[in-house]
């Protein structure tokens, strides 16, 4: 499968693994901010953007294999890994199963999955149930608003990105299947990479209490809560997020 990836900046390599339906451009200003200090690798997950779409549904294991493929194609043996939402699930599995490829790990707005995790917040479930009855543009804007903190000044900016990079419905559904089936299932205790877990306290997409579960299950993990941030802290609180990552990665 052909994966579309980019490299920006110089320094220690940092692999960015994004979430459901977001292309590599969906990191907002974060790629450029981190490229001040690092070589930033970003890519389109299978089924999204310019990467080819094999038959779905997908699994997190397949998405993790894709992350390794990007590292291989970039000639990178070992990288820091930053995973957001679904990408955070991929990053968990990558760190647990391929510790030789992961230096330090940053998990943002994600969950360990399984029966012990906190489920999707009611606000998101209600929107998902209502979305099919709304005009597509209205539904998209509502999902953008839901991904950001209430009253966020970045709604128009993120909405503009989503309009320019709409996910293929087939690919998005296949990615959603991967996320729905994720269960860390004891793997977290095997993560040896130094780990930073980040969550916005106003995240309405992934319950931020899942960050506490992750930090408690991963040996010696650090937990940082960004007060008032939603599901996209790397976009709406870009400088704060970049400083956290830079401090942690060193």
């Amino acid at each position: 499968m052909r994966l579309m990836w980019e490299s920006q900046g110089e320094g220690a390599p940092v692999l960015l693994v994004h979430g459901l339906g977001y292309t590599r451009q969906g990191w907002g200003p974060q790629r450029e901010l981190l490229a001040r200090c690092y070589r930033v690798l970003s890519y389109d997950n299978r089924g999204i953007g310019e990467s080819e779409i094999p038959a779905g549904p997908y699994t997190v294991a397949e998405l993790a294999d894709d992350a390794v493929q990007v590292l291989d194609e970039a000639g990178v043996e070992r990288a820091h890994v930053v995973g957001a939402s679904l990408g955070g699930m991929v990053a968990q599995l990558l760190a647990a199963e391929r510790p030789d490829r992961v230096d330090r790990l940053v998990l943002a707005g994600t969950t360990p999955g399984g029966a012990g995790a906190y489920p999707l917040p009611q606000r998101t479930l209600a929107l998902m149930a209502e979305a099919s009855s709304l005009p597509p543009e209205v539904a998209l804007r509502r999902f953008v608003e839901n991904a950001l903190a209430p009253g966020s000044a970045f709604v128009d900016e993120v909405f503009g990105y989503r309009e320019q990079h709409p996910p293929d419905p087939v690919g998005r559904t296949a990615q959603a299947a991967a996320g729905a089936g994720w269960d860390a299932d004891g793997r977290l205790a095997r993560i040896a990479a130094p780990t930073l877990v980040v969550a916005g306290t106003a995240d309405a997409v992934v319950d931020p209490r899942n960050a506490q579960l992750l930090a408690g299950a991963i040996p010696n993990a650090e937990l940082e809560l960004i007060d008032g941030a939603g599901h996209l802290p790397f976009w709406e609180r870009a400088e704060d997020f970049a400083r956290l990552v830079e401090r942690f990665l060193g």
Side-chain angles (χ1 to χ4, degrees):
M1 183 188 73
R2 182 181 67 88
L3 290 169
M4 182 59 69
W5 59 274
E6 294 182 45
S7 178
Q8 298 167 259
E10 298 179 355
V14 176
L15 178 67
L16 303 181
V17 189
H18 218 321
L20 174 62
Y22 278 75
T23 64
R24 63 193 188 278
Q25 296 88 357
W27 290 95
Q30 200 58 223
R31 296 188 301 171
E32 288 71 25
L33 291 175
L34 293 179
R36 297 177 300 196
C37 302
Y38 308 100
R39 180 189 178 195
V40 177
L41 303 171
S42 58
Y43 67 103
D44 294 348
N45 282 313
R46 62 171 64 197
I48 292 298
E50 297 178 79
S51 291
E52 293 176 349
I53 308 174
Y58 308 143
T59 65
V60 170
E62 288 174 317
L63 296 174
D65 287 342
D66 294 343
V68 172
Q69 178 182 331
V70 172
L71 293 178
D72 288 344
E73 292 182 4
V76 173
E77 184 63 30
R78 190 175 177 87
H80 302 306
V81 177
V82 179
S85 198
L86 174 60
M89 304 174 201
V90 174
Q92 292 169 50
L93 183 61
L94 188 61
E97 302 294 341
R98 295 299 307 271
D100 56 310
R101 307 306 297 266
V102 179
D103 193 350
R104 286 177 172 255
L105 179 67
V106 179
L107 303 173
T110 191
T111 172
Y118 291 96
L120 291 175
Q122 184 57 41
R123 192 173 105 188
T124 290
L125 291 174
L127 178 56
M128 291 169 65
E130 183 186 9
S132 62
S133 67
L134 299 172
E137 184 172 325
V138 173
L140 177 60
R141 190 172 187 89
R142 291 277 301 279
F143 276 113
V144 168
E145 291 171 344
N146 190 60
L148 298 168
S152 174
F154 292 89
V155 171
D156 288 342
E157 185 176 326
V158 178
F159 180 71
Y161 153 75
R162 296 304 303 267
E163 283 194 311
Q164 292 173 16
H165 302 278
D168 182 285
V170 174
R172 190 186 187 285
T173 299
Q175 286 190 0
W182 170 244
D183 184 350
D185 192 27
R187 297 183 183 93
L188 299 178
R190 304 207 309 266
I191 294 178
T195 301
L196 173 66
V197 182
V198 182
T201 61
D203 191 338
V205 178
V206 173
D207 192 312
R209 290 176 293 179
N210 284 301
Q212 298 171 329
L213 296 180
L214 287 166
I218 298 172
N220 302 313
E222 298 180 28
L223 175 63
E224 288 282 356
L225 299 178
I226 301 180
D227 188 47
H231 190 56
L232 307 177
F234 47 82
W235 197 316
E236 59 183 326
R237 298 283 290 277
E239 285 285 358
D240 292 340
F241 187 88
R243 281 195 294 269
L244 284 176
V245 173
E246 289 169 355
R247 174 194 62 78
F248 180 70
L249 299 185

